[in-house]
Every structure is written in C-alpha cells, then in structure tokens.
Amino acid sequence: MADSSTAVVHHTGHPDVTKRDFLKLITGASAAIGTAAVAWAFIDYMNPAKDVLALSSVEVDLTPIVAGQGITVLWQGKPIFVRHRTEKEIKEAEDVRMSQLIEPQPDSQRVKPGHAQWIVLIGICTHLGCVPLGNKPTDPRGDWGGWFCPCHGSQYDTSGRVRHGPAPANLGLPPYAFESDTKVKLG
Amino acid sequence: MGIMRSSLVAIALTALAAPALAQEEAPTPPSQHWSFQGPFGSLDLASAQRGFQVYSEVCSVCHSLEYLHYRDLRGIGLSADQIKAIAASVTVPQGLDDNGDPKEGPATPADQFKVPYPLPNPLQIGVTHTNEKADRAAHNGALPPDLTLIVNARENGPNYVYAVLTGYADAPASFKLMEGMNYNKFFPGHQIAMPQPLHDDQVTYADGTKATVEQMSHDVVTFLAWAANPEMVQRKQMGWRWVLFFLVMAGLTYAVKRKVWADVH
Amino acid sequence: MAEAHKSEFSNPLVNWIDTRLPIFTMMQKEYGTFPTPKNFNYFWNFGALATVSLVIMIVTGIFLAMNYQPNAQLAFDSVQHIMRDVNYGWLIRYIHQNGASMFFITVYIHIFRGMYYGSYKSPRELLWMLGVVILLLMMATAFMGYVLPWGQMSYWGATVITNLFSAFPIVGKPIVTFLWGGYSVSNPTLNRFFSLHYLLPFVLVGVVFLHVAALHVVGSNNPLGIDVKSPQDTVPFHPYYTVKDSVGLCVFFLVYAILVFFAPNFLGDVNNFIPANPLQTPADIVPEWYLLPYYAILRSVPNKLLGVCMMFGSILILFVLPWLDTSKVRSARFRPIYRQIIWVWLAAVIVLGVCGAHKPEGIWVVLARIGTLYYFLHFLVILPILGKLERPLPLPESISRPVIVGGGPMPSGATAKPMEKA
C-alpha cells in the first residue's frame, strides 16, 4: 500500500482559488503572530528575573579605605573597583594629554564632582573580560600606576583609562551616586 | 455523532472525578463573593491593601509569608515609595558584620517578608524558612503554617480560610475540648490551636472601612489569595486574548479546510 | 547503487542539500504526497495532537529546567521562584503542568480510536505495540515529573508508587531501596527522578519515530476499517490532512488555553502546595487523574502482590490485544455487538477512574471490583469469543464507494470477508 504514491487529486481552474489563497494568507499570518507572541514569552523567560533585578543596587562604606588603596565589591555579579586616590595620582590622571590616550576622556568625566579622590570602576578588562590586578597592595599596577590585566598585558592608569593594548577601551563606569561623603550607592 | 458525544461525557466524568478528593468531617464552608473568582475575576486592590494591614498587624506575629518580598507589594497597588517605607519599618537579619556577628538592619524592597522565627543559617540561595523548633516552642507545640500558599493548599481555599477566621464559637456542651485548644465550626476536627485571631475594631482602616471580624477576614483572604497567585490578574487578561485568538484561528482553519476539501468526493 | 540521488526541488539550496541528503524528498514523500485514506474523521487528529503535546512538553520542560533545582532543600522554593520571579515563569510552568493532562487525554482518545476502529489488527500489530510502549514511557515520565515540585503529594505519591515494587517476594525490598537510593524517598530519589524525567521524553521521541515509521509502512487505518484499493481512495497528506489537523489543533489549543489561564490548578491536588514533609502523610493519596483507573485496579484486589500484577497487567494486556480480538473485521461500524460493548468497556474504565479518586470503602470497593473484573473479562473472554460468534455487517467494496446501495448484488462472502491482503 505504501507503493501507491501516485494518488494525486487534481483541481484545476477552480473559481475559488483566489479566495482560498487569501484565506490561507490570513490564516498563515495569524498563526505567525501567535507563534511570535509565544516565542516572546520563552525569550523573556531567559532575561533576568525579578529577584535579580531587585538586587541591582549595593551600598559601599568608604571610611575604611585609606588613600592609595582600593577595595573590590561585588555588584550585579561584577567586581567593582573603588580606589581612594592620592593627590599625586589625581594630578597624574588630570594632566595626561588627550592625544596620549587610546580612548581619550578627561579624568573629570570619570569621577563625581567634588569627589575626585574616589574612582569607581567596573573591574572587567575591556579586552576579553578578565579582572585586572592592582586593587590589592601586593598587586602589580602596571607602568601607569593603575591596573594591569594579567591575561594579555593591558594596562590602565589611575583613572582606569587604557594606556597599553590590547584592550580597546577604558574600564567601564558603573552607575553610582554619593549618598554622603563616606557612602556610595552602586546601581 | 454518537462516538463524539459519548467520549466527551467520558472525558468530563474522568476529569470531574479527580479533584473530588479529601472530604473532611467539618461542614462545607459557605461560599462568599470574591473579587478574584471566575474567569472575569480581578483583584479588589483596596481590599487586598486592607488585608495586608490585617496581616501586618495581626497575623504576621506568628505566620510567615516566606515566598513574598516587599517589592511584590506592587501587585496590590502600592507605590514604590510606599513599599520602601513599609520595608524600612521592618528590621531583618542582614547576614554577618565584619566581626562575623549576626547583623540586623532595616529591610529593603528586595528583601523577603520577615519570617517570625527564621532559621539561623539560611542557605545562600532560596528562601529563609521558619525555624520549626523555635516556632513550636513559642506556640505550645503547634506550628503556625506559612500563609503564602494557604489559599491554594486547602480545598475551596478562600471560603475555607474565611470560614475558619469567622468560625470561632463556644464549644457545644457535649464536645470535649482539649486543654489549650479552641473550638472552631469549620476547622477539621473542630479543635484548633490558634486562638481567635480577629476581634471587631482590632485594626483601624485608613479608608474608614469598619473593621468587623467579617470585613477583616474578607480583606485578609483577598490579600492571601493574591499572595498565593500573584500572576492571577495578568493570567486571566492574557487568557482572554488567547481564547479569542484560538477561536478565530479555529474558524479560519476550518474555512481553509472547507475550501481545500471542496474538490474531494 | 553508486548513482547520486536526483533531487527535483527547484530551489538551488534545497536541491543542493537534497541531492546529498534527501531529507526534503523524504519529508515530501512522508508528509507531502503521502497517500492517505480520504475518509478520516476528526478522531484521526489525535495522533498529530499527541505529537504536538510531546513537543510542547519537551520545549517547556527544557525551559523549566533552566530555573528548577533538583534538590530536596531547594526544589519547592525553586518552583515558587519560577512562578513568581521568572518572566512568564508561571505561564511556562502552567503549560507544562497542564500539558501532561492534555497529552494523556489526546493519547487516550487516540488509543480508544484505535480500539473502536480496529487499528491494532493485522498488519498494524507492531504499530499498536509500539503505541503501548509509548503509553508506558509516558506514565513513567509523568510519574517522575509529578515528584519534582516536591510538594506533599509529590512526596507521598512517590513513596506509595515505589513501594508497589515491595510486593514482589524476596527481591521487593532491595528493589525499593535501590529505586530510592536510600531508606526513604529523599534527595537521591529526587535527583535521579529529575535526570530520568529529562531523559525519557527523548526516548519517547525515538519510539514515536518508530511508531510513525511503522505507520508509513503499513498505511493508516480508516473509519471503514477496509484497505485502500486504489488511488481514488486516497488524498495526499498535504494539504488535505495538514489543514484538517490544523483545525483540530486550534480546538486543542483552545481547550488547553482555558485550562492554563482560567483553571491551572483544577486538575492538580491542593496538597502539592504544601512542601514535602516525610513525617506527615496527607489524608488521601491519589495520583493524577490519568492514572486513577490503574490505581483503582490496584486497590480493588485485597492481595498486595496480585493487585500490583493486575495493575501492570491491565496495561500489558494491550500488547496482546491484536491476538485476543479474533474478529477479522476492523471497524466497529460493521460489528453490531462490538460497537455496543466497547462503550461498556469505556464505562468500566471511567467507573474505575472515579473509584480511584475515592477512598476504598463501601460502594467504591464494590464498584472497583466490578470494574476490574469487567476490564479483564472484556479482553480475555468477550473479545476472543465475540470474534467467533458475531455476524458482521456487509463491508463496503471500497472507500470511494462506501455506501452499498440497497438491493444491489452483494459480493459473495462480504459478510464474513477475510482480512484483505496488506
């Protein structure tokens, strides 16, 4: 019976053909819309859940951080570098000529006004996502006194700007605000 | 077609048989009218907010709502600022301080509802559960159940919870009540460890609603029904769209089918 | 046969692939031009509906597994997390939870269709037996899936069902300990059930493939139960049955949507909203509705081992149904007595289902015993004898000429027409 594959029903020149095609078009389009709506539910399912979104802000106490040192805090699963810069480091960062930078950006755009001693950075190398060294006193800080990425040798200055490749861009800045002179809210 | 009708009846019978399960000796709770019942049901936000007040001021002393977070209260129509204030007024454990000692502080909207008797070492992920031993010790051996899912976890849930809250009475003379127990018309076995929780005017509603036992019970059940099924309003709204969609699709495909089959004899 | 396959598709890319791997030719042959009897009624939708159900279950299941934690400490919480915090988590979970019911209802109707129209008879015995394997795999998968939320009914259902194996003498207890991976249903049990619940659906896909492959060798049965005689009896699968299946699919989705959006917990058990507690058994332990008839058979027998054997036997007996039914006529339409008693059998199954939902006391025990007795009587006594005694109605000559005009000369021997050659 499986051999009887010759069965074909012929319907030629039927007057309803165009009407049928139109119906098919509407039906197919509606089905596509429905499928897309369901697909969206499945895609959105994989976006961050409500509990993840709710934990998107962290408060950091700055009092224990002495000048010249930094701490690393976890925010949204990412390391955040908070460094207390010395006067010398601030001056170095401010005096750099823009032409020397891979991604030119003045230091004043990378700190909050009136809080130039605090630099807050996303501690993820812009090359391939490693965590640069330089936040612990024993870490190497590279030739520009900032951070040094052990994976491929990228170096950042005290403003977190990339000074030596292969990283293409400066360290990112998280959204944050000073709640007081000694307290920062991330996120 | 006979076969179609008969099999539909068969399906219906089998389906109906399934939920007809636990039959307790307690009388069936009378049906109340609920804003959230039926396919068109929605949530009476004012009632749910009053119910939250009843929970906070009365029930929360003993009963946890483990699966709720303060941020979830958006679902009963509270604003972000209101929620912040509500959370900040509650002191919750906040892990360990730098010396390794337990730390406490005001809750944030992200926090889980405060559990009356939390376990000392909650797991990093998941929910802080009730410390059953401490809880029982404080309640004469009885364990006040978590209320997040209580409306789903009882047959005829909303009516049952309402009936228990309003069902306290003096035990009939013939009824032998055990020491420390309370008589309730609708609790299975009629002996309940929880003393009557609600009394007239126990809370003061901001909107001027009179706080009778019936009113408070109704409000708290509305709140708990939301707590058990926070997706309910969105689910039913979405449901109508899909039902309509499949009705139209059924019509369309049937029309196409008629056309396609028109040639076959 | 070193000659390359010559593809006839005009699209160059399709043609290129098809010449090297003729999947498009195969699809065209099996689902496009595949000659299908033209007289299917809507009961022939249910195979397609069951396939769709399986796909839905696998897709939603994979997504649920992204957030589910198969750990006794975390399982219940992780389900609540899915329901409350994960975007559309409630939707995907309710689709999965109710999908089990939708899958079983379609498969049960599909099976009943096969029984009513004699689809299990030669040459489709193996096709039918593969179907029974699918049913068994579905039950195992559904049972293990029900354990995963780790509510009270999950826990105690798992305890009761795994304890069934303790009925077997000597090996019983060790088997149960082995199944549990411990001395009670506990974390190892949950963990392995999750692993197997994820695996078995893919095994199911494999058996479904064989089921369909076997179908495409012997061809579909049809409401008349007679063989296809000529091309006039058939239509190509596409578009005729793709569009007819689509109609059924929309109605199926309509029912499904009503369940998911308006009564998502209607078929569930309230006890499963309480986290598993090994120290407290719920007042009534009942399986999901689709297992109730077997549960009733189990409980209707006072002897534990015999009850377990009868329960398993009630499904295994389906394997030999093609040989228990001795009638040569397939469709109940032409079997005046069979077309009555098949409903009695269905009624017995439903009565068993209702009994399974009630405590085994009083009238429910009596009814369950009658139901069980009739269930086996139907297969073991009635069907073999009926096939010999029943006088079938005259069979039509072909699908294209289903109506036998009164008075016309009946082909001799039509009344007791033997099985047509496949």
Side-chain angles (χ1 to χ4, degrees), chain B residues 77-96:
Chain B
L78 296 184
S79 73
D81 288 336
Q82 283 174 306
I83 292 169
K84 234 179 214 170
I86 288 167
S89 70
V90 183
T91 306
V92 292
Q94 290 185 331
L96 306 174

Side-chain angles (χ1 to χ4, degrees), chain C residues 353-370:
Chain C
V354 176
C355 292
H358 287 85
K359 278 189 182 154
E361 49 195 25
I363 182 75
W364 300 113
V365 179
V366 182
L367 279 174
R369 289 191 179 155
I370 296 171

Side-chain angles (χ1 to χ4, degrees), chain A residues 1-11 24 38 40-53, chain C residues 35 59-60 63-64 66-67 81-82 84-89 91-92 124 216-218 228 231 234-236 240:
Chain A
M1 244 187 312
D3 308 335
S4 54
S5 55
T6 46
V8 178
V9 174
H10 297 281
H11 43 80
K24 274 186 181 170
V38 174
W40 167 246
F42 281 84
I43 292 165
D44 196 32
Y45 180 90
M46 295 174 76
N47 277 324
K50 283 189 207 132
D51 58 325
V52 176
L53 295 174
Chain C
V59 171
T60 51
F63 274 76
L64 287 177
M66 293 176 191
N67 283 298
H81 176 243
I82 291 170
R84 288 160 188 277
D85 284 344
V86 178
N87 306 315
Y88 294 108
L91 176 63
I92 291 175
R124 300 185 182 84
H216 283 210
V217 171
V218 294
V228 169
T234 69
V235 290
Y240 292 95

Side-chain angles (χ1 to χ4, degrees), chain C residues 11-71:
Chain C
N11 181 309
L13 180 64
V14 171
N15 189 294
W16 188 88
I17 296 172
D18 199 60
T19 308
R20 287 151 184 82
L21 181 69
I23 44 172
F24 294 99
T25 301
M26 190 199 93
M27 286 304 288
Q28 179 74 10
K29 182 165 168 269
E30 302 300 335
Y31 287 102
T33 55
F34 189 72
T36 316
K38 66 179 187 182
N39 60 335
F40 283 177
N41 56 33
Y42 275 100
F43 280 95
W44 264 261
N45 273 346
F46 285 88
L49 297 185
T51 313
V52 170
S53 303
L54 178 59
V55 171
I56 290 174
M57 292 306 275
I58 288 178
V59 171
T60 51
I62 286 171
F63 274 76
L64 287 177
M66 293 176 191
N67 283 298
Y68 172 76
Q69 310 267 5
N71 176 300

Side-chain angles (χ1 to χ4, degrees), chain C residues 99-382:
Chain C
S101 290
M102 293 304 290
F103 196 3
F104 269 98
I105 200 77
T106 48
V107 163
Y108 281 158
I109 295 173
H110 186 65
I111 293 171
F112 186 75
R113 200 258 357 245
M115 291 174 75
Y116 190 86
Y117 295 109
S119 302
Y120 49 84
K121 294 183 190 184
S122 172
R124 300 185 182 84
E125 303 95 322
L126 191 59
L127 174 62
W128 170 263
M129 290 162 82
L130 284 166
V132 181
V133 173
I134 290 172
L135 177 63
L136 285 170
L137 280 171
M138 277 176 67
M139 286 175 178
T141 310
F143 160 65
M144 287 190 280
Y146 193 63
V147 178
L148 302 187
W150 211 238
Q152 273 288 67
M153 204 48 87
S154 298
Y155 184 90
W156 292 101
T159 301
V160 168
I161 301 298
T162 47
N163 260 318
L164 291 178
F165 293 92
S166 71
F168 297 107
I170 306 166
V171 292
K173 279 282 172 199
I175 287 180
V176 174
T177 310
F178 169 78
L179 290 174
W180 288 340
Y183 301 109
S184 66
V185 173
S186 50
N187 193 56
T189 326
L190 175 62
N191 234 183
R192 64 185 58 184
F193 276 20
F194 174 69
S195 173
L196 295 173
H197 180 71
Y198 207 123
L199 167 71
L200 285 188
F202 296 98
V203 179
L204 258 175
V205 169
V207 184
V208 168
F209 180 83
L210 295 179
H211 189 68
V212 173
L215 172 73
H216 283 210
V217 171
V218 294
S220 292
N221 187 27
N222 65 79
L224 294 174
I226 58 174
D227 285 340
V228 169
K229 300 271 166 47
S230 70
Q232 277 73 50
D233 290 349
T234 69
V235 290
F237 190 82
H238 180 76
Y240 292 95
Y241 285 113
T242 41
V243 69
K244 194 161 181 175
D245 282 346
S246 301
V247 178
L249 201 59
C250 290
V251 177
F252 168 84
F253 279 140
L254 187 63
V255 177
Y256 202 163
I258 290 170
L259 210 52
V260 163
F261 290 105
F262 300 111
N265 295 309
F266 174 69
L267 296 169
D269 191 291
V270 292
N271 283 297
N272 238 19
F273 285 100
I274 304 170
N277 181 354
L279 300 177
Q280 194 182 14
T281 310
D284 295 285
I285 298 181
V286 278
E288 293 284 84
W289 67 266
Y290 41 79
L291 300 177
L292 285 172
Y294 317 105
Y295 193 55
I297 291 176
L298 169 78
R299 296 192 305 186
S300 69
V301 186
N303 177 288
K304 185 174 169 185
L305 179 59
L306 195 61
V308 172
C309 291
M310 297 269 278
M311 187 189 72
F312 286 125
S314 67
I315 303 163
L316 297 181
I317 202 168
L318 295 175
F319 276 114
V320 289
L321 173 60
W323 295 275
L324 290 173
D325 185 350
T326 51
S327 171
K328 297 288 181 219
V329 176
R330 292 197 191 105
S331 175
R333 248 181 228 188
F334 306 105
R335 298 185 60 188
I337 302 174
Y338 179 76
R339 69 186 293 180
Q340 309 289 331
I341 58 141
I342 186 69
W343 293 108
V344 182
W345 174 84
L346 182 65
V349 173
I350 291 165
V351 166
L352 281 171
V354 176
C355 292
H358 287 85
K359 278 189 182 154
E361 49 195 25
I363 182 75
W364 300 113
V365 179
V366 182
L367 279 174
R369 289 191 179 155
I370 296 171
T372 304
L373 194 69
Y374 188 81
Y375 184 96
F376 285 100
L377 210 63
H378 175 86
F379 288 117
L380 294 174
V381 180
I382 297 177

Side-chain angles (χ1 to χ4, degrees), chain B residues 66-80:
Chain B
E66 284 174 356
Y67 299 105
L68 280 191
H69 301 79
Y70 294 104
R71 59 181 157 84
D72 294 329
L73 291 170
R74 290 301 283 268
I76 56 167
L78 296 184
S79 73

